[in-house]
Amino acid sequence: MDFVSMLFNEYRALVSLLLSLMVLVVVITVWWDKVSFWWLNTWYAFPLIGKESRLAKDYETQVKIYDKDWLNTEVALCTDFAAHYEKVNKDEELFSKSQDYLGKVTENGRNNLHILGWILIAALVFVEAMGFSYVLSGFTIPGASEKLQQQGAVGIAFIISVLLVGLTHFTGHELHANSLIKKAKVWWKNAKNRDKATPELAPNTRINLDKTFEDDDDPQYKQVINRISTNAEVKPRYFITTITAIAIIVIAVLATYVRGQVLEKNHIIIVGSPETSAVYQEQDPYAEAPPAFLVEESKSADAKTDTDIWEREQKGGWGTFIFLAFLFILLQIFGILIGFKTGFAGKHSKDARKEIGNFKSEREFKTHYSRLKQQVARVAQKRLTNLQQRMNQKAETNCQDPKVLEVLEACGDRSFLTYMEDLGNAESRYDQSVRLREHQTLASHQAMKSTPVVATTNAVEGVEAPEAAEAMEARLKAELVAEASARKAAEAETSEQAEQRIRQELLAEIAQQKKPVETEEQMRDRLRKEMLGELS
C-alpha cells in the first residue's frame, strides 16, 4: 500500500491520464456502434474537407446497380450508412430464433460475466497474490532495495492474477460444456435402450442462428450436440481443467514453502545477532560473582524460553501459511464456479444472448429496432439529399452532358430506403438460388443412392432396359423447359413461397423412385448446353 500511495503522490498526472484513457477506451468499446455512427455523420457533414464535400465533386460517374442508374457517389454514401442500417435491421423473427437456439442448447437464462464481475475477481486475486508475491520478490530480485522489491511484488502479483483469472474462467466454461455433453449422452443412451435403431451421435454442422429451426424434428440430445463443439468421440475434455489444477496446487505449495523458509531465516537472524542489552550491560566491579549453578540454571531457563517462543511462532506461522494457501485455493474454486455459471458453450449462444438483450417480448424487440432503423434512415437520407443538391448545383454551372443532367434530375427516384430495398431483394434472390442448389444436390444424392437398388432389382426380375435415347431426350427437354419456367416464376415469388415450393418438390422427388442417373446426367448436361446455345 505504501508503494501505491507513493505512485499516486509522485505520478499523479500520469496516473490520472492513464485512468482517463482506460475509461475512454471502455466507453468507446461498450458504445462503439453509437460512437462510430456519430463519427460517420460528423465526418460527412464536416465543412470543406468532409466526405460529403469531396463526393459532391464527382457527379458524372454512373454505375448500374440492381438494374437502375445510380451515381457512384450516391452508392458510396449509401454503402457507408448501409453498414449501420444492417446492424439495426432486425425483426421479431430474429428474437424468436435466438430464443429457440438458447432453448435447444439448454442455455436460456445464462449471461456473460459483467464487467464489474471481472473487476471484482481480478481485484480479489490480485490482493491474494500480493500476499506472497512480496515474499517471492525477495528471492527473484536478491539484493534489491525495499522500493525495488515492492515494485517487483506488484509485477509478480499482476502476472499471477492475470493467469489465474483466465485459467479459472476458461476452466468453468470447459466444465459447463462437459456437463452439456454428459447430459446429451445420457438422453441418447436412454433412447438407444428403448430403440436399438437409434443412430449414433453426429452433429449437424449446418445449424446456426439463422437455421435453428431446421432440427425441430430431431430429438433433444441431437439438438444439443448440433450446437456445441465436441471431439470425434463426443466425450468430455479436461485439458484446461488439468492445467488449472496443476497451476493452483503448484502455486499454493511453493508459496507456502517460500513463506516458511522466510520465517525460519528471520528466526536464524534474530538468534545469531547479539543482544544489545548484553553489550551495554554495566557490571559492578565490586560485586561478588554469582554461583556457577545459578548461571547455568539461568541460561537453561533462557534457552527453554527461546525454544518455546520459537515453537509457538513456528506453529503459528505455518498455520497461517496453510490457512492462506487454503484461502487461495478456495478463491480459485470460486473463480471456477463463476466461469461455470456464466458464459456459453453453444457456438452461437453468445450472439443469441446479445440479440435478446434485456427485451421481454418480441413486440418490445421490434419496437426498439424499428425506432433505431428510422433514425439511421433519416440521417442517411438527409446526407444523401444534401449530396444530391450539391451535385445539382455544381452540374448547373459546370456540366453540359445531357445524360448526366438527366440522371441528376431523376435523383428524387433514388433514396436510401430504395437502395436498401434493392439490396434486400438481391439477397433474397441469392438465398433462393442457394436453397435451389442445395435442393438439387440433395435430390441428386438421393438418386445416386436409389440407383444401385433399382439396377439390382431389374437384373434379378428381368425388367426391360431403361427408356430409349429418343424418349429420354424428349423427356429431359420437357424437364429443362419446366425448370426454366420455374426459375422465372421464382424471381417473382416471395422467399416464403419459394421455400415452400422447394420443400414440396424435394419431398416429391424423394418419395418418387429414381431411374439410373449416370447416362441421364450426361445427356442432361448436353441438352442444357444445346438449349443455352439456341437461346443465345
Coordinates of all heavy atoms in Angstrom, one line a residue, residues 203-234:
P203 N -23.0 -34.5 -35.0 CA -23.6 -33.2 -35.0 C -23.9 -32.8 -36.5 O -23.3 -33.2 -37.4 CB -22.5 -32.3 -34.4 CG -21.2 -33.1 -34.7 CD -21.6 -34.5 -34.6
N204 N -24.9 -31.9 -36.6 CA -25.3 -31.3 -37.9 C -24.6 -30.0 -37.9 O -25.0 -29.0 -37.3 CB -26.8 -31.2 -38.0 CG -27.2 -30.6 -39.3 OD1 -26.4 -30.3 -40.2 ND2 -28.5 -30.4 -39.5
T205 N -23.5 -29.9 -38.7 CA -22.7 -28.6 -38.7 C -23.4 -27.5 -39.4 O -22.9 -26.4 -39.4 CB -21.4 -28.9 -39.4 OG1 -21.6 -29.5 -40.7 CG2 -20.6 -30.0 -38.5
R206 N -24.5 -27.7 -40.1 CA -25.2 -26.6 -40.8 C -26.0 -25.8 -39.8 O -26.5 -24.7 -40.2 CB -26.1 -27.2 -41.9 CG -25.3 -27.9 -43.0 CD -26.3 -28.5 -44.1 NE -26.9 -27.4 -44.8 CZ -28.2 -27.1 -44.6 NH1 -29.0 -27.7 -43.7 NH2 -28.7 -26.1 -45.3
I207 N -26.2 -26.2 -38.6 CA -27.1 -25.5 -37.7 C -26.4 -24.2 -37.2 O -25.3 -24.3 -36.7 CB -27.5 -26.4 -36.5 CG1 -28.3 -27.6 -37.0 CG2 -28.3 -25.6 -35.5 CD1 -29.6 -27.2 -37.7
N208 N -27.0 -23.1 -37.4 CA -26.6 -21.8 -36.8 C -27.8 -21.0 -36.4 O -28.9 -21.6 -36.3 CB -25.7 -21.1 -37.8 CG -26.4 -20.9 -39.2 OD1 -27.7 -20.8 -39.2 ND2 -25.7 -20.8 -40.3
L209 N -27.5 -19.8 -36.1 CA -28.6 -18.9 -35.5 C -29.7 -18.7 -36.6 O -30.9 -18.7 -36.2 CB -28.1 -17.6 -35.1 CG -29.0 -16.7 -34.2 CD1 -29.4 -17.5 -33.0 CD2 -28.3 -15.4 -33.9
D210 N -29.3 -18.7 -37.8 CA -30.3 -18.4 -38.9 C -31.1 -19.7 -39.3 O -32.2 -19.6 -39.7 CB -29.6 -17.9 -40.1 CG -30.6 -17.4 -41.2 OD1 -31.5 -16.6 -40.8 OD2 -30.5 -17.8 -42.3
K211 N -30.5 -20.9 -39.1 CA -31.1 -22.2 -39.4 C -31.4 -23.0 -38.2 O -31.4 -24.2 -38.2 CB -30.1 -23.0 -40.3 CG -29.8 -22.2 -41.6 CD -28.9 -23.1 -42.5 CE -28.5 -22.3 -43.8 NZ -27.6 -23.1 -44.6
T212 N -31.8 -22.3 -37.1 CA -32.0 -23.0 -35.9 C -33.3 -23.9 -35.9 O -33.5 -24.8 -35.1 CB -32.1 -22.0 -34.7 OG1 -32.3 -22.7 -33.5 CG2 -33.3 -21.1 -34.9
F213 N -34.2 -23.6 -36.8 CA -35.5 -24.3 -36.9 C -35.4 -25.6 -37.7 O -36.3 -26.4 -37.8 CB -36.6 -23.4 -37.5 CG -36.9 -22.2 -36.6 CD1 -36.9 -21.0 -37.2 CD2 -37.2 -22.4 -35.3 CE1 -37.2 -19.9 -36.4 CE2 -37.5 -21.3 -34.5 CZ -37.5 -20.0 -35.1
E214 N -34.2 -25.8 -38.3 CA -34.1 -27.0 -39.2 C -34.1 -28.3 -38.5 O -34.4 -29.4 -39.1 CB -32.8 -26.9 -40.0 CG -32.9 -25.8 -41.1 CD -31.7 -25.9 -42.1 OE1 -30.9 -26.8 -41.9 OE2 -31.6 -25.1 -43.0
D215 N -33.7 -28.3 -37.2 CA -33.7 -29.6 -36.4 C -34.9 -29.6 -35.4 O -34.7 -30.2 -34.3 CB -32.4 -29.8 -35.8 CG -32.0 -28.7 -34.8 OD1 -32.7 -27.6 -34.8 OD2 -31.1 -28.8 -34.0
D216 N -36.0 -29.0 -35.7 CA -37.1 -29.1 -34.8 C -37.6 -30.5 -34.6 O -38.1 -30.9 -33.5 CB -38.3 -28.3 -35.4 CG -38.0 -26.8 -35.2 OD1 -37.1 -26.4 -34.4 OD2 -38.7 -26.0 -35.8
D217 N -37.5 -31.4 -35.6 CA -38.0 -32.7 -35.5 C -36.9 -33.7 -34.9 O -37.3 -34.9 -34.6 CB -38.4 -33.3 -36.9 CG -39.5 -32.5 -37.5 OD1 -40.3 -31.9 -36.7 OD2 -39.6 -32.4 -38.7
D218 N -35.7 -33.2 -34.7 CA -34.7 -34.1 -34.1 C -34.9 -34.2 -32.6 O -35.5 -33.3 -31.9 CB -33.3 -33.5 -34.3 CG -32.9 -33.6 -35.8 OD1 -33.6 -34.3 -36.5 OD2 -32.0 -32.9 -36.2
P219 N -34.4 -35.3 -32.0 CA -34.6 -35.5 -30.5 C -33.7 -34.4 -29.8 O -32.8 -33.8 -30.4 CB -34.0 -36.9 -30.2 CG -33.2 -37.2 -31.4 CD -33.8 -36.5 -32.6
Q220 N -34.0 -34.2 -28.5 CA -33.3 -33.1 -27.8 C -31.8 -33.3 -27.7 O -31.1 -32.3 -27.7 CB -34.0 -33.0 -26.4 CG -33.6 -31.7 -25.6 CD -34.4 -31.5 -24.4 OE1 -35.1 -32.4 -24.0 NE2 -34.2 -30.4 -23.7
Y221 N -31.4 -34.6 -27.5 CA -29.9 -34.8 -27.4 C -29.2 -34.4 -28.7 O -28.1 -33.9 -28.6 CB -29.6 -36.2 -27.0 CG -30.1 -37.3 -28.0 CD1 -29.3 -37.6 -29.1 CD2 -31.3 -37.9 -27.8 CE1 -29.7 -38.5 -30.0 CE2 -31.7 -38.9 -28.7 CZ -30.9 -39.2 -29.8 OH -31.4 -40.1 -30.7
K222 N -29.9 -34.6 -29.8 CA -29.2 -34.2 -31.1 C -29.2 -32.7 -31.2 O -28.3 -32.1 -31.8 CB -30.0 -34.8 -32.2 CG -29.4 -34.6 -33.6 CD -28.1 -35.4 -33.8 CE -27.5 -35.2 -35.2 NZ -28.4 -35.7 -36.2
Q223 N -30.2 -32.0 -30.7 CA -30.3 -30.6 -30.8 C -29.1 -30.0 -30.0 O -28.5 -29.0 -30.4 CB -31.6 -30.1 -30.3 CG -32.8 -30.4 -31.2 CD -34.1 -30.0 -30.6 OE1 -34.2 -29.6 -29.5 NE2 -35.2 -30.2 -31.4
V224 N -28.8 -30.5 -28.8 CA -27.7 -30.0 -28.0 C -26.4 -30.3 -28.7 O -25.6 -29.4 -28.8 CB -27.8 -30.7 -26.6 CG1 -26.5 -30.3 -25.8 CG2 -29.0 -30.4 -25.9
I225 N -26.2 -31.5 -29.2 CA -24.9 -31.8 -29.9 C -24.7 -30.9 -31.1 O -23.6 -30.6 -31.5 CB -24.9 -33.3 -30.2 CG1 -24.9 -34.1 -28.9 CG2 -23.6 -33.6 -31.1 CD1 -23.7 -33.9 -28.0
N226 N -25.8 -30.6 -31.8 CA -25.7 -29.8 -33.0 C -25.1 -28.4 -32.7 O -24.6 -27.7 -33.6 CB -27.0 -29.6 -33.7 CG -27.5 -30.9 -34.3 OD1 -26.7 -31.8 -34.6 ND2 -28.8 -31.0 -34.6
R227 N -25.2 -27.9 -31.5 CA -24.9 -26.5 -31.1 C -23.6 -26.4 -30.3 O -23.3 -25.2 -29.9 CB -26.1 -25.9 -30.4 CG -27.2 -25.7 -31.4 CD -28.6 -25.4 -30.6 NE -29.6 -25.1 -31.6 CZ -30.2 -25.9 -32.4 NH1 -29.9 -27.2 -32.3 NH2 -31.2 -25.5 -33.2
I228 N -22.9 -27.4 -29.9 CA -21.7 -27.3 -29.1 C -20.6 -28.0 -29.9 O -20.8 -28.8 -30.7 CB -21.9 -27.9 -27.7 CG1 -22.2 -29.4 -27.8 CG2 -22.9 -27.2 -27.0 CD1 -22.4 -30.1 -26.5
S229 N -19.3 -27.6 -29.5 CA -18.1 -28.2 -30.1 C -17.8 -29.4 -29.4 O -17.6 -29.4 -28.1 CB -17.0 -27.2 -30.1 OG -17.3 -26.0 -30.9
T230 N -17.6 -30.5 -30.1 CA -17.2 -31.8 -29.4 C -16.1 -32.4 -30.2 O -15.8 -32.1 -31.4 CB -18.4 -32.8 -29.4 OG1 -18.9 -33.0 -30.7 CG2 -19.6 -32.1 -28.6
N231 N -15.5 -33.4 -29.6 CA -14.5 -34.2 -30.4 C -15.2 -35.3 -31.1 O -16.4 -35.5 -31.1 CB -13.4 -34.8 -29.4 CG -14.1 -35.5 -28.2 OD1 -15.2 -35.9 -28.3 ND2 -13.3 -35.5 -27.1
A232 N -14.4 -36.1 -31.8 CA -15.0 -37.2 -32.7 C -15.7 -38.2 -31.8 O -16.7 -38.8 -32.3 CB -13.9 -37.9 -33.5
E233 N -15.3 -38.5 -30.6 CA -15.9 -39.5 -29.8 C -17.0 -38.9 -28.9 O -17.7 -39.6 -28.2 CB -14.9 -40.1 -28.9 CG -13.8 -40.8 -29.6 CD -12.7 -41.4 -28.7 OE1 -12.7 -41.0 -27.5 OE2 -11.8 -42.1 -29.2
V234 N -17.3 -37.6 -29.0 CA -18.3 -36.9 -28.2 C -18.1 -37.3 -26.8 O -19.0 -37.8 -26.1 CB -19.7 -37.3 -28.7 CG1 -20.8 -36.3 -28.1 CG2 -19.8 -37.3 -30.2

